[in-house]
Amino acid sequence: MNISPKKILEQLVKNKQITSEDSSKYEVASLQKDISIVDYLYGYTSMPRIEIIKAQAEIQNITYVDLEKTPIDSQAVGLVSESVSRRYKIIPYLFDSKNSTISIATEDPFDRSIIDFLEKKTGKRIILSLADKQQIVKMIDISFSQSGLSPEVRDALKEYSPDHHKETDNSNVQLQQAPIAKIVATILEFSVKGRASDIHIEPEESRTKVRYRIDGILQEKLSLPRTIHEALVSRIKILSEMKIDEKRIPQDGRFTYKSLKDEVDLRVSTLPTVFGEKVVMRLLKKTGGIPSLNDLGFGGPQLKELEEAIARPYGIILITGPTGSGKTTTLYSILSRLNKPTVNIVTLEDPVEYQIAGINQVQINTQAGLTFATGLRAFLRQDPNIILVGEVRDKETTQLAIQAALTGHLVFSTLHTNDAPTSIPRLIDLGAESFLIASVLTAVLAQRISRKICPYCKTSYQASPEVMAKIKLVLGPLFPKKYETSPMMLSKGKGCEECSQSGYLGRIAIFEILKITTAINQHILHQDSAEEIQKTAKKEGFVRMIEDGYLKVLDGVTTMEEVLRVAET
């Protein structure tokens, strides 16, 4: 790429990487040494190489990729042979099966011959991105090595000898060996760097695959030899203080891991499968704090309704949604807001996910007899103002929660239902009397989590008439009047280095809040269906989850595809 030295230096000044004085100095120095400005910056300054790459990409208006930060998609790597990658100095890093495209990092994104060759070879559309040559060579070594993740894992696999790993009494000592510890550490470090919320280690007949859940989507990032699976699981069990010789039943544990940047708590769960034990680790960051209600996606009338509900001194507030819909995070956000020196807050959780200063948090321990029901009984003798019960899952807990609310406590809990109106028939199904529900239930909040559009590569486009008609039909009276006369502009992410070419970065919740009004209470007393409850709620201004999602689409926060993926009813 022939870019004038002046342009590169001007871009670096604009990016605040160097000053104007530095720019002049570097230009003269490169001429004196008779080398290109890029070679001078690489060899004689301490500037990060990726910043020089970034400047070149911005000048030419092309995408660039930082391979140190971008997870390499093992599926993409599998579509191009090692010999081709080494010959052309390229590394595939992302495969989009929906659009049948492979994103490939190269030092020369204008080389049309690479595109033509690879498109014929793979039958897929090729997208080239500018990358640092050193990073490309390093990633070729890593990606086509046995491990597919890092040199540490590759070296550890060479050191590890499965023949020496026997299930004997001294296996505890054997498992402490460095190779396996290195592999586990690398898996964890990569998960923190890649913003993963969960790690899945899954045994298959011929290999062990490692998948990461990033922004709610599972992505396969690593394939390991099947021979190391037992040792890998045993190492994780030791860290989590589980029984390493018990493989027939599921186990739970937890441990803390300190990465270079963050400290994370890991909740670990094992499950016996036909090919061995599967391990799932949930990552909970200790740093970063608990998000506010605004950060979660609350705003406008919804926030006002929730604030009114939590301001009441007694009653029950339920949060509903499937596993992984962010219920616990919302509860913690509410409790953080209510947490004052004048208030006694007690929580009963399974497990305690985040520790909040000033709140008395209790962990369920069924083996010792501490269940939601027994814990709730004990709480009522602890003079609480606010009680959080992790989940209402049986008749006894339901009745005790109602009893607590009737005696002047503010009770929060979660319930597994698809939407807010369905929670009322569900409570009746759990053995609660309808007249008691009507007396204590204050509000029900249902939620899902959708991915947010990446702010770094966000672009606008005009919605098609079909999409506009669908949004108008779903929103009804909530449809903004400005779109009756002007075109509807929606947003999407093009895909960039910051979001690993996905177009999404971070997540936001979409909600519906059912206020328990006099009219809704009548439905509860008559044990009417969820449909009847929703009809009445709509007349009183109830905004359904999908409507909240579409409003966030119009605000440019998320996309139609995401809302339909998580909230279509």
Side-chain angles (χ1 to χ4, degrees):
M1 289 180 294
N2 296 317
I3 310 171
S4 73
K6 228 172 199 54
K7 277 190 175 177
I8 292 175
L9 292 166
E10 281 171 5
Q11 189 66 43
L12 289 167
V13 171
K14 188 179 170 185
N15 293 353
K16 296 183 179 171
Q17 291 301 314
I18 58 172
T19 62
S20 298
E21 293 76 27
D22 288 335
S23 171
S24 305
K25 189 172 78 179
Y26 293 161
E27 189 175 6
V28 171
S30 68
L31 289 169
Q32 286 172 344
K33 292 186 182 292
D34 194 25
I35 56 173
S36 73
I37 190 66
V38 171
D39 287 340
Y40 177 81
L41 293 169
Y42 281 156
Y44 295 93
T45 71
S46 58
M47 192 183 306
R49 292 175 68 93
I50 193 62
E51 291 300 335
I52 303 163
I53 296 288
K54 182 179 174 183
Q56 292 177 82
E58 285 169 340
I59 292 164
Q60 306 233 14
N61 197 25
I62 55 174
T63 58
Y64 68 95
V65 61
D66 183 353
L67 296 172
E68 293 286 347
K69 290 182 183 173
T70 305
I72 303 295
D73 184 345
S74 59
Q75 202 175 352
V77 172
L79 294 169
V80 178
S81 70
E82 183 175 356
S83 60
V84 168
S85 287
R86 291 194 185 279
R87 190 191 321 151
Y88 290 100
K89 293 223 170 18
I90 57 170
I91 184 70
Y93 63 91
L94 182 73
F95 174 56
D96 182 348
S97 56
K98 189 179 174 186
N99 297 311
S100 196
T101 60
I102 309 171
S103 296
I104 291 177
T106 173
E107 59 180 322
D108 185 4
F110 294 105
D111 189 343
R112 187 71 226 179
S113 65
I114 295 178
I115 296 176
D116 293 340
F117 173 74
L118 289 173
E119 284 185 345
K120 279 180 191 170
K121 191 98 174 159
T122 62
K124 310 279 189 290
R125 194 163 69 85
I126 301 298
I127 300 168
L128 295 183
S129 300
L130 180 63
D132 178 17
K133 182 181 175 181
Q134 285 187 3
Q135 286 188 0
I136 293 169
V137 173
K138 184 182 172 186
M139 282 301 161
I140 289 171
D141 289 339
I142 290 168
S143 300
F144 290 102
S145 70
Q146 198 179 10
S147 70
L149 186 64
S150 79
E152 290 83 5
V153 175
R154 183 187 60 209
D155 296 341
L157 287 170
K158 284 178 185 172
E159 288 175 44
Y160 178 72
S161 172
D163 296 334
H164 296 150
H165 180 71
K166 305 286 182 188
E167 293 300 322
T168 59
D169 292 336
N170 70 344
S171 61
N172 201 34
V173 177
Q174 182 67 33
L175 285 164
Q176 303 280 3
Q177 61 182 304
I180 295 299
K182 270 189 209 168
I183 293 169
V184 172
T186 309
I187 289 170
L188 295 174
E189 188 64 44
F190 188 81
S191 68
V192 175
K193 276 185 189 170
R195 300 179 298 103
S197 60
D198 300 85
I199 306 167
H200 291 238
I201 299 172
E202 301 171 322
E204 293 184 350
E205 193 170 7
S206 57
R207 65 169 186 153
T208 291
K209 71 178 178 190
V210 180
R211 296 195 289 172
Y212 295 92
R213 190 176 292 281
I214 299 169
D215 289 336
I217 306 292
L218 269 176
Q219 302 173 23
E220 187 182 329
K221 296 294 180 187
L222 173 62
S223 182
L224 293 166
R226 183 68 181 82
T227 50
I228 74 158
H229 184 77
E230 302 263 325
L232 198 66
V233 172
S234 296
R235 172 68 184 160
I236 293 165
K237 281 184 172 181
I238 287 167
L239 291 170
S240 314
E241 298 182 350
M242 296 183 199
K243 294 175 182 174
I244 64 168
D245 56 342
E246 180 55 85
K247 299 175 183 181
R248 298 164 301 170
I249 58 170
Q251 293 188 67
D252 293 301
R254 67 190 303 161
F255 67 95
T256 300
Y257 171 71
K258 283 187 181 177
S259 74
L260 298 172
K261 288 182 182 176
D262 298 298
E263 188 175 356
V264 291
D265 268 337
L266 288 110
R267 270 172 42 196
V268 186
S269 168
T270 67
L271 182 74
T273 73
V274 288
F275 294 119
E277 287 179 285
K278 175 182 172 176
V279 178
V280 175
M281 295 185 271
R282 164 70 54 90
L283 282 80
L284 305 162
K285 278 193 182 180
K286 282 190 168 184
T287 49
I290 293 159
S292 68
L293 291 171
N294 294 93
D295 292 337
L296 292 176
F298 281 99
Q302 283 182 315
L303 183 59
K304 187 169 175 285
E305 285 175 5
L306 184 61
E307 283 174 334
E308 284 173 2
I310 66 177
R312 293 184 61 171
Y314 61 87
I316 292 179
I317 296 170
L318 292 174
I319 299 187
T320 79
T323 305
S325 60
K327 300 187 296 293
T328 307
T329 305
T330 302
L331 279 172
Y332 281 145
S333 186
I334 292 168
L335 290 185
S336 296
R337 196 170 180 133
L338 297 173
N339 189 13
K340 295 171 190 164
T342 53
V343 175
N344 178 21
I345 302 175
V346 287
T347 76
L348 194 59
E349 303 170 63
D350 183 22
V352 173
E353 291 194 8
Y354 297 96
Q355 289 163 4
I356 311 172
I359 293 179
N360 307 287
Q361 294 171 273
V362 178
Q363 168 98 30
I364 289 292
N365 187 341
T366 47
Q367 289 179 329
L370 178 54
T371 62
F372 282 122
T374 56
L376 196 44
R377 275 201 198 86
F379 277 7
L380 296 175
R381 297 192 291 274
Q382 289 283 317
D383 185 31
N385 300 101
I386 297 168
I387 297 170
L388 163 64
V389 185
E391 188 185 340
V392 171
R393 57 170 73 151
D394 55 42
K395 185 176 181 179
E396 192 179 9
T397 311
T398 308
Q399 289 175 341
L400 283 165
I402 289 171
Q403 203 62 45
L406 283 169
T407 51
H409 303 95
L410 181 58
V411 180
F412 292 94
S413 192
T414 68
L415 197 63
H416 283 269
T417 61
N418 287 329
D419 54 34
T422 313
S423 60
I424 293 163
R426 174 73 182 129
L427 282 175
I428 293 167
D429 186 46
L430 282 168
E433 296 287 353
S434 54
F435 67 92
L436 291 177
I437 297 171
S439 304
V440 297
L441 195 60
T442 304
V444 182
L445 185 155
Q447 68 178 71
R448 299 286 190 281
I449 301 181
S450 73
R451 292 181 291 172
K452 285 167 73 176
I453 297 168
C454 173
Y456 298 98
C457 60
K458 188 175 180 178
T459 56
S460 296
Y461 68 97
Q462 189 171 328
S464 66
E466 294 81 16
V467 168
M468 193 169 168
K470 181 164 187 175
I471 293 176
K472 189 174 181 180
L473 179 68
V474 170
L475 289 180
L478 295 170
F479 187 74
K481 287 188 170 53
K482 65 178 180 179
Y483 294 124
E484 301 284 1
T485 51
S486 61
M488 182 187 287
M489 300 304 291
L490 302 181
S491 300
K492 64 179 177 181
K494 284 194 300 184
C496 65
E497 174 225 339
E498 295 291 335
C499 62
S500 302
Q501 308 301 321
S502 67
Y504 297 100
L505 189 67
R507 292 192 284 172
I508 195 161
I510 53 178
F511 303 93
E512 61 184 32
I513 298 176
L514 178 67
K515 279 200 307 183
I516 309 302
T517 59
T518 307
I520 300 294
N521 265 335
Q522 288 302 309
H523 284 302
I524 296 171
L525 290 168
H526 295 132
Q527 297 191 13
D528 290 334
S529 68
E531 288 78 16
E532 291 293 321
I533 293 167
Q534 183 165 300
K535 274 183 199 169
T536 302
K538 282 295 288 176
K539 290 174 190 169
E540 297 181 334
F542 173 66
V543 177
R544 290 184 302 141
M545 214 178 325
I546 195 157
E547 292 167 348
D548 180 48
Y550 278 13
L551 289 169
K552 286 184 168 99
V553 168
L554 293 178
D555 287 340
V557 177
T558 187
T559 63
M560 284 278 290
E561 292 80 7
E562 271 301 288
V563 173
L564 293 172
R565 181 178 70 84
V566 300
E568 189 169 26
T569 52

